[in-house]
């Protein structure tokens, strides 16, 4: 009898990666909405896998703040928490503008051309998946020359934590005919600031960009919470108070 292996087979690892990507895609696209419960067994059936890779995928997604697992064979998309989002963006605003300032002097002509291509791809993205991928690639490429491995690790965690909030807010306005032009201008202005090679200009431009995004997201969450409150009030039966005669 051979010695037990110390690593899992590659097909299992591949399945976990694929399940993780698909559940994350469903959350970011809004197919699985904030607070929505779903069955692990149903997910496994739809993806044609066993429960094992689904459980492992959910553990990964829970560590990224995307889902909340339950004791039974079910899970829930993590609700949107405005304070959590503020906390994440406070850290992003601490780290990213400083990196952008340093990166502006390090980006090559080829790097800047790549940023132009990515911002155009982001503006023209036909759906939430491509929009998210292009947006993530744009910000990664912009900061990469100045980012240390630890910067990259921390930013990756912060981006994962904020992407469902950003995805929810921008999915809600994606149908606006003016939205592609707005996205394009926001990121072309950012590239223009980076092209100056001036640290202060680049840093301030990214800070303004992040603050603008934060405002859009918080407004979207407020609208969601207001709608949920109104729905709750409509579902609550009114109590009839009997008027007693005065004595």
């Amino acid at each position: 009898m051979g010695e037990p292996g110390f690593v899992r087979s590659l097909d299992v690892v591949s399945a976990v990666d694929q399940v993780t990507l698909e559940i994350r895609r469903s959350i970011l696209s809004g197919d699985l909405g904030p607070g929505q419960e779903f069955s692990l067994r149903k997910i496994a059936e739809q993806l044609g896998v066993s429960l094992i890779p689904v459980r492992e995928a959910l553990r990964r997604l829970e560590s990224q703040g995307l889902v909340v697992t339950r004791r039974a064979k079910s899970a829930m998309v993590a609700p949107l928490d405005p304070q959590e989002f503020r906390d994440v963006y406070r850290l992003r605003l601490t780290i990213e503008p400083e990196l952008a300032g340093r990166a502006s002097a390090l980006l090559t002509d080829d790097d800047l051309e790549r940023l132009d291509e990515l911002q155009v791809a982001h503006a023209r993205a036909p759906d939430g998946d491509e929009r998210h991928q292009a947006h993530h690639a744009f910000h990664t490429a912009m900061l990469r020359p100045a980012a240390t491995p630890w910067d990259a690790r921390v930013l990756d965690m912060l981006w994962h934590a904020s992407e469902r909030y950003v995805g929810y807010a921008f999915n809600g306005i994606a149908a606006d005919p003016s939205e592609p032009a707005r996205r394009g201008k926001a990121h072309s202005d950012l590239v223009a600031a980076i092209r100056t090679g001036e640290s202060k200009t680049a840093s301030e431009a990214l800070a303004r960009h992040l603050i603008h995004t934060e405002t859009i997201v918080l407004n979207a969450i407020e609208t969601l919470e207001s709608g949920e409150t109104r729905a709750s009030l409509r579902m609550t039966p009114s109590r009839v108070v009997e008027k007693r005669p005065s004595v």
Side-chain angles (χ1 to χ4, degrees), residues 89-128:
Y89 257 60
R90 173 176 54 81
L91 293 172
R92 289 190 63 176
L93 280 162
T94 300
I95 299 170
E96 293 182 44
E98 188 267 337
L99 288 177
R102 289 195 286 115
S104 64
L106 301 173
L107 288 161
T108 66
D109 289 342
D110 287 343
D111 292 332
L112 293 169
E113 185 176 339
R114 176 61 176 158
L115 286 180
D116 284 331
E117 293 171 354
L118 289 170
Q119 71 90 3
V120 169
H122 176 246
R124 296 178 179 175
D127 56 46

Side-chain angles (χ1 to χ4, degrees), residues 37-52:
E37 294 189 22
F38 56 93
S39 162
L40 274 63
R41 189 173 299 281
K42 186 171 291 187
I43 291 287
E45 289 174 355
Q46 290 178 357
L47 296 177
V49 297
S50 71
L51 285 172
I52 294 173

Side-chain angles (χ1 to χ4, degrees), residues 20-21 24 28 60-66 88-89 91-92 95-96 99 132-133 135-137 139-141 143-144 147-166:
T20 302
L21 288 173
R24 180 186 288 120
L28 298 181
R60 293 183 183 181
L61 295 170
E62 187 167 36
S63 71
Q64 296 167 9
L66 292 176
V88 170
Y89 257 60
L91 293 172
R92 289 190 63 176
I95 299 170
E96 293 182 44
L99 288 177
H132 165 71
Q133 291 170 12
H135 192 238
H136 187 274
H139 280 267
T140 300
L143 302 179
R144 178 190 51 76
T148 68
W150 269 108
D151 289 324
R153 291 188 194 102
V154 172
L155 286 175
D156 189 59
M157 180 173 62
L158 294 174
W159 286 336
H160 277 310
S162 64
E163 63 188 0
R164 70 191 182 97
Y165 290 92
V166 175

